[in-house]
Amino acid sequence: MSISPHVQGSKEFDPLAFLSKAAAGRTIQRYRKNQKIFSQGDVADAVFFIRSGKVKITVLSEHGKEAVIGFLTERQFFGEGCLDGSKLRGATSHAMEECVITSITRTAMLAALAKEPKFSTFFLTYLLARNSRIEDDLIDQLFNSSERRLARLLLLLANFGKEGGPMPIPVTLSQETLAETIGTTRSRVSFFMNKFRKKGFINYNGKIEVRRSLLDAVLRDKPQIREDE
């Protein structure tokens, strides 16, 4: 099998440029809001890279109960389980808004990782960051109140910690989805959202605008973001 010129060893190799161009083994597709990308149980034969937009990952139990297990945003991979021998998808992915996503076949992904050290480093950096995020999520679930978990989720969705200031979350997340993600009830989420709004931490009119003050409250562990007993 021939390897695309973009996968040949080169000091000029740019991982983002590689992931932004369609070629043998790579396709670029636009997804509309709520469109399914792949379903739990589908054949796992490709890795996906989000060029723009946000993606929701869910799992369905054998009893038919759905759970949200994560939200992904631009410059993140998903579906990489196929590289480790997974034959079927263990979860379902949906576009939360209009997305542009690069799909890379398992064969093309393995070739790029083998031939391009810069791409391997780029991918490894992502995996390490994701692993750290999973550990933080576990600690969050084990030790933090549901109010603090909601605050952290809103900050993550609003991309705080990245370049730029406060920005609206460009999607409308239902309170049911927020509740499922942090492991509490819709009524508690509604209570906390109203509390955050009254405190001036967020604006909440159709879409959520997260303000810097919410981040300050979380970092300083202020009492107002702790769950009332």
Side-chain angles (χ1 to χ4, degrees):
M1 182 186 69
S2 62
I3 298 176
S4 166
H6 291 289
V7 188
Q8 300 293 335
S10 170
K11 293 182 180 180
E12 302 302 321
F13 183 86
D14 181 346
L16 290 176
F18 170 76
L19 292 164
S20 299
K21 297 178 181 178
R26 301 197 306 276
T27 59
I28 297 172
Q29 186 169 345
R30 293 182 179 273
Y31 292 86
R32 61 184 181 277
K33 182 178 179 180
N34 296 325
Q35 185 175 353
K36 188 178 295 183
I37 301 166
F38 59 72
S39 296
Q40 187 172 335
D42 285 354
V43 174
D45 56 3
V47 179
F48 297 86
F49 178 78
I50 305 172
R51 291 180 55 203
S52 65
K54 287 187 172 70
V55 171
K56 178 174 67 174
I57 308 296
T58 62
V59 293
L60 191 67
S61 74
E62 59 183 13
H63 301 295
K65 181 175 176 57
E66 185 179 72
V68 178
I69 60 172
F71 299 105
L72 302 172
T73 188
E74 61 183 51
R75 296 197 178 188
Q76 291 187 309
F77 292 90
F78 63 104
E80 68 276 5
C82 66
L83 300 178
D84 193 33
S86 297
K87 302 298 184 182
L88 301 176
R89 300 294 184 192
T92 296
S93 58
H94 285 92
M96 297 173 65
E97 59 192 39
E98 289 189 1
C99 293
V100 177
I101 294 176
T102 301
S103 172
I104 317 164
T105 65
R106 178 179 183 277
T107 300
M109 186 73 177
L110 290 173
L113 291 171
K115 295 292 183 179
E116 290 294 350
K118 287 185 178 180
F119 187 65
S120 296
T121 300
F122 181 81
F123 186 61
L124 180 60
T125 299
Y126 159 75
L127 291 179
L128 292 173
R130 190 191 65 174
N131 185 64
S132 178
R133 165 74 182 276
I134 291 172
E135 290 180 353
D136 289 344
D137 287 346
L138 180 58
I139 293 170
D140 199 36
Q141 289 289 338
L142 290 174
F143 298 112
N144 289 329
S145 69
S146 53
E147 182 175 4
R148 188 179 175 88
R149 293 199 302 272
L150 176 61
R152 179 173 175 269
L153 175 60
L154 294 176
L155 290 168
L156 288 170
L157 288 169
N159 294 325
F160 268 93
K162 297 184 179 181
E163 294 183 1
M167 58 183 293
I169 298 173
V171 292
T172 301
L173 286 177
S174 70
Q175 292 186 354
E176 287 83 359
T177 297
L178 291 171
E180 289 174 3
T181 305
I182 66 171
T184 190
T185 63
R186 181 190 176 282
S187 62
R188 292 302 283 167
V189 167
S190 179
F191 172 79
F192 297 142
M193 293 292 281
N194 286 329
K195 184 176 179 180
F196 290 167
R197 181 164 49 187
K198 290 177 182 177
K199 292 286 185 180
F201 295 159
I202 64 172
N203 285 334
Y204 186 31
N205 294 302
K207 62 182 177 181
I208 307 164
E209 182 179 355
V210 181
R211 295 179 175 174
R212 173 80 191 188
S213 54
L214 180 60
L215 177 61
D216 293 338
V218 169
L219 291 176
R220 295 173 187 173
D221 198 22
K222 293 182 178 179
Q224 60 260 43
I225 65 160
R226 293 182 176 177
E227 184 174 2
D228 296 327
E229 300 295 341

